Amino acid sequence: MAENRTDHNAPVLVIGLGRFGSAVAEQLVKQGREVLAIERNAALVQKYASILTHVVEADATDIDALRQLGAQDFTAAVVGVGTSIESSVLITVNLVDLGTEHVWVKAITPAHGKILTRIGANHVVYPEADAGVRAAHLVGGRMLDFIEFDDGFAIVKMYPPKETQGFTLGESQVRSKYGVTIVGVKSPGEDFTYAQPDTKVSRRDVLIVSGHVDLLERFAARP
């Protein structure tokens, strides 16, 4: 495998089967990936034994236990432990020491995330905070989905404002008026189509729009 490249079919090690870890593990299995899940709570091990590829009851803060399970053979690992920052840090250190190339770790607070980054976690995620931000953008009602990137750029799925309904994108001039770009249009019962100047928008359509978060909020606030 080439340096800094991920084998998208390689098995994944998932440590901790709380809400975050179990959701990641189940989705990986749905995608056809082999998963080894490690959880020290016997009840959770029993719960997911028939759902995931392999579930083992073990304490991942113990590096020897990880070695015995072959953790050193995995290039990607997800640490979903969130109830104990100490456990999260110890597990992450163990994975880094074992040479795991890609380590995704759930962080509870910015300080926790900073520690994880310092000790070698190269992918730190904040599921609660990210979900809260996303929900805040969706509360208004016009946006159906929202994905924000690090530089303030975002892509949203939303219903069309009235001023775009019944007009082509060239006629409504959304980009010149609002600074956002309509990337595509999805009409009920029809395939997604990439936006063209002659694409006509109807009341029942769904738009895929990209741009800066502030400009997208302004556009989505239109009646």
Side-chain angles (χ1 to χ4, degrees), residues 30-176:
K30 288 179 182 177
Q31 294 172 195
R33 303 287 291 274
E34 183 178 352
V35 171
L36 169 60
I38 299 176
E39 169 59 56
R40 61 182 177 184
N41 184 312
L44 289 176
V45 170
Q46 184 175 4
K47 177 180 178 181
Y48 290 101
S50 61
I51 300 173
L52 304 177
T53 318
H54 305 289
V55 184
V56 177
E57 183 180 344
D59 183 0
T61 63
D62 181 352
I63 194 169
D64 290 329
L66 288 176
R67 282 199 183 97
Q68 290 175 10
L69 293 171
Q72 65 275 10
D73 298 327
F74 288 77
T75 58
V78 178
V79 181
V81 176
T83 55
S84 168
I85 291 178
E86 180 181 356
S87 294
S88 169
V89 170
L90 285 172
I91 293 166
T92 302
V93 167
N94 287 343
L95 292 171
V96 171
D97 287 348
L98 289 172
T100 308
E101 186 176 356
H102 296 282
V103 182
W104 280 264
V105 189
K106 170 187 173 179
I108 302 170
T109 66
H112 181 201
K114 187 174 182 179
I115 293 170
L116 293 170
T117 301
R118 288 281 181 88
I119 62 178
N122 44 15
H123 306 279
V124 177
V125 294
Y126 300 85
E128 285 86 359
D130 291 345
V133 170
R134 180 173 176 271
H137 285 286
L138 302 182
V139 163
R142 189 181 297 280
M143 289 189 189
L144 300 170
D145 207 350
F146 176 92
I147 302 174
E148 184 176 359
F149 300 88
D150 291 339
D151 57 358
F153 178 86
I155 296 177
V156 304
K157 181 168 71 172
M158 60 177 284
Y159 293 120
K162 287 182 180 179
E163 65 195 83
T164 65
Q165 298 172 16
F167 297 95
T168 66
L169 297 179
E171 291 170 337
S172 58
Q173 299 183 342
V174 169
R175 180 162 180 77
S176 61

